[in-house]
Amino acid sequence: MYAQGQDSAVALQDVAESSHTQSQPTPAYNSESLDETTAGEDNDGALDFESDSALDSGSLLGDETDTLASSILHHRIENGRQYHAYRDGAYWGPNDELAKEILDFAHHMYLLTLDQKLHLAPIRDLQTVLDVGTGTGIWAIDMADQYPSATVTGTDLSPIQPEWVPPNCHFEIDDVSLEWTFPPSHFDFIHIRELFGCIPDWDFFLAQAYHHTKPGGWVEIVEHSVQPVADDGSMGPDHFYHTWGKVVIEMGEKFGKSFTVWAESAERMRKAGFVDVVEVPYKWAMNGWPKDGKEKEIGRWNQLRLMDGVEGFMLRLLTQVGGWSVARAQVHLAQMRRELKSTRTHAYLPGTVVYGRKPL
């Protein structure tokens, strides 16, 4: 049976219940010091937020509590998409219902890719697990179900995880690009997936992961390229996929957060001090062009994920980072969707699963 969020995170729910005669169920989260965010300003000044919080300015506990709730539970609306408000702008993707669906599509694709395994690292005797950038929390929940004796913690900038979770799973609001506040040598396993474009300094980030992993514990990084490639000459030099990949890489460079970590993970982990580093490559076809049954199924899922998800992947980067107009950005996205329908181009996204162990 699943239980509602627990531990010190319950404090947030208690505040909500004490602040309203009729409060709605509120997911419980642990959090460190949170940035103050302002709700209700018009678009000229800055932020236009929506809130699903059970807290408001009538809180009996005062402005400090209101600010905490706003930082965690408010959202920014931008070009019709909903984005996180805590550390606003740190992440390029939306956190609305469509975005959550796309994240769960990707989780399904990773299960197909890894033959229904949640990880490749040879972990055993798990007690503590960290899922960095947990998103919808689906991996952390599955992991908690598979390892009921372990405590699984998921961190993210957005409180978009389910309210009811396994009793050994909980979520925290955190920006893991900053210094981590977990105890040193604490986790048996740290899982990192699809943080491309999210980390400004991967060496510092992996140093944090190393510091907070137990001796003998494992860290695993799962990432893929954003630049489609083809091995058979079906993607000519003028193909739009080249433009697409080039633009994503450029936006990441302007944003200060690289999208190329999939090719760098193994070397960066060794540099951080991990040993027994293993790199396992994989490929995601852009659509259902492969003849192999498994690759074809993954390709069809990838086509669906990209058709529905390219706006969320790129709209904020193109408009806020690249300075494009919304109209120009939408034309670019439409061209990508058009190319995704063609099976004549045998393109795919390469990726890697990289895992390494902290020395004893």
Side-chain angles (χ1 to χ4, degrees):
M1 179 179 293
Y2 286 1
Q4 202 166 7
Q6 51 190 4
D7 301 333
S8 62
V10 175
L12 183 57
Q13 183 179 357
D14 293 341
V15 170
E17 291 174 350
S18 67
S19 302
H20 290 270
T21 304
Q22 294 181 338
S23 62
Q24 299 177 352
T26 305
Y29 299 92
N30 294 321
S31 57
E32 299 302 322
S33 60
L34 302 176
D35 286 353
E36 182 172 347
T37 43
T38 306
E41 297 183 15
D42 59 29
N43 291 331
D44 294 334
L47 306 181
D48 178 17
F49 289 145
E50 282 187 354
S51 173
D52 56 3
S53 170
L55 295 170
D56 58 25
S57 59
S59 171
L60 298 176
L61 298 184
D63 293 339
E64 183 175 352
T65 301
D66 292 339
T67 300
L68 175 65
S70 297
S71 297
I72 297 176
L73 296 176
H74 280 68
H75 305 285
R76 175 173 182 167
I77 304 301
E78 184 180 294
N79 296 321
R81 300 301 298 268
Q82 175 183 285
Y83 295 84
H84 67 95
Y86 170 54
R87 300 195 62 80
D88 181 36
Y91 177 55
W92 43 263
N95 63 5
D96 49 29
E97 291 302 316
L98 177 57
K100 290 190 287 184
E101 186 177 67
I102 299 302
L103 290 174
D104 288 349
F105 285 173
H107 178 70
H108 179 66
M109 292 172 62
Y110 283 116
L111 289 178
L112 291 173
T113 303
L114 304 182
D115 297 323
Q116 302 304 313
K117 296 183 180 72
L118 291 171
H119 58 84
L120 296 185
I123 56 178
R124 57 183 181 270
D125 302 324
L126 281 183
Q127 295 179 342
T128 49
V129 177
L130 176 64
D131 186 25
V132 182
T134 194
T136 64
I138 190 170
W139 183 91
I141 291 169
D142 284 355
M143 195 71 175
D145 281 335
Q146 184 169 321
Y147 297 92
S149 63
T151 298
V152 181
T153 301
T155 62
D156 204 90
L157 292 171
S158 293
I160 58 174
Q161 301 77 33
E163 184 176 355
W164 296 96
V165 299
N168 59 322
C169 178
H170 68 278
F171 301 106
E172 301 180 5
I173 302 302
D174 197 10
D175 184 347
V176 293
S177 68
L178 305 178
E179 186 171 351
W180 296 10
T181 57
F182 299 107
S185 301
H186 181 66
F187 294 103
D188 296 296
F189 182 48
I190 297 179
H191 179 253
I192 300 161
R193 189 171 76 184
E194 290 202 357
L195 288 189
F196 50 6
C198 298
I199 305 299
D201 186 342
W202 274 95
D203 290 337
F204 173 79
F205 173 80
L206 288 176
Q208 294 292 299
Y210 185 93
H211 180 64
H212 296 280
T213 302
K214 292 179 182 178
W218 294 84
V219 171
E220 182 166 297
I221 304 175
V222 186
E223 298 285 344
H224 67 73
S225 174
V226 295
Q227 295 177 290
V229 296
D231 300 329
D232 61 358
S234 60
M235 196 175 99
D238 297 327
H239 197 284
F240 177 75
Y241 282 159
H242 293 295
T243 301
W244 174 266
K246 180 181 178 182
V247 168
V248 179
I249 297 300
E250 288 178 352
M251 292 300 111
E253 291 174 351
K254 289 183 178 181
F255 194 38
K257 299 176 181 181
S258 171
F259 279 92
T260 61
V261 66
W262 72 277
E264 306 163 1
S265 299
E267 183 58 33
R268 289 186 182 277
M269 286 193 71
R270 293 187 186 99
K271 183 178 178 181
F274 292 97
V275 297
D276 299 333
V277 175
V278 175
E279 180 180 88
V280 180
Y282 66 89
K283 299 178 181 179
W284 280 359
M286 299 299 285
N287 50 40
W289 65 262
K291 294 181 179 180
D292 176 80
K294 175 182 172 180
E295 293 180 5
K296 179 180 286 292
E297 183 179 4
I298 293 173
R300 287 172 172 169
W301 276 101
N302 199 28
Q303 181 185 27
L304 176 61
R305 178 184 77 111
L306 293 171
M307 290 286 288
D308 291 347
V310 287
E311 181 182 82
F313 298 153
M314 289 300 293
L315 189 58
R316 170 174 267 195
L317 285 173
L318 293 174
T319 58
Q320 300 299 318
V321 177
W324 292 25
S325 68
V326 174
R328 180 188 175 192
Q330 291 293 1
V331 169
H332 184 74
L333 301 178
Q335 191 167 354
M336 181 60 165
R337 294 189 187 98
R338 183 166 56 251
E339 297 296 341
L340 286 168
K341 297 177 182 179
S342 172
T343 57
R344 292 193 302 270
T345 302
H346 299 161
Y348 62 88
L349 297 174
T352 55
V353 180
V354 178
Y355 55 89
R357 179 176 60 85
K358 183 175 179 177
L360 290 171

